[in-house]
Amino acid sequence: MAEQSNGTLTLQVKPSMIDEFVKGAKKGFYVAVENITPAMVLAYALILFLNIIGVMPILAKLLGPIMAVFGLPGEAMVVLTAAFFAKAAGCATAATLYSQGVITATQATILFPACITMGTLVGNFVRVVMVSQTNIKWQPLLLCSALVDAAVVMWLTRFALFIMGVS
C-alpha cells in the first residue's frame, strides 16, 4: 500500500499472518505474566494463610447459611472477597478451592459470573467514583450496587443450572 505525505512516497507493507500471530502471542503472554499469574499467587497465598491461621473453618461455619442461599459452602466467601480486589484473583481463588475439593465445578460456575460482576470493585470504585468526586451520600449505594448485582447473578446462575439439570 502506497501513501503520499509531504511530497514523498512511502510504502507500507501489510504485516504477514505469522507476524500478526507472533504479535498476538506476545500480547497474550504478557497478559498472563502481568495479570493472571500475580492473581493466582495472591489467591493461593490468601487461601493458604486462612488455612494456616485456622480462619477457613470459622468462615465456613459463620457464612455457610448465607452462602447456602446460592448453593455454595461458606468457604466460597473467600472467592468473593478476592474478587472484590481483582477479578482474576477471585477466579483463581475459585480454581484453587476447586482443586482442593472444597467446591464443585457447579459451585465454581455459580461463582464465576459474580467474580466478573463485582471484580476489581475497590480499584474501579476509587478510579471512577472517588476521582469524579461523586456526592459522598451516594457512594455507599454505588458500592453496594455491585454487591447486589453479584448476588443476583449468582442466584440466576444457580437457577439456570437447576433448569439445565446440573446440580
Side-chain angles (χ1 to χ4, degrees), residues 70 80 110 113-115 117-118 145-155:
F70 307 107
L80 300 177
I110 292 170
C115 289
T117 303
M118 67 179 249
S145 67
L147 301 176
V148 172
D149 289 347
V152 169
V153 76
M154 283 193 301
W155 188 83

Side-chain angles (χ1 to χ4, degrees), residues 110 153-166:
I110 292 170
V153 76
M154 283 193 301
W155 188 83
L156 287 175
T157 304
R158 183 179 184 200
F159 182 71
L161 291 172
F162 173 76
I163 296 295
M164 294 180 349
V166 178

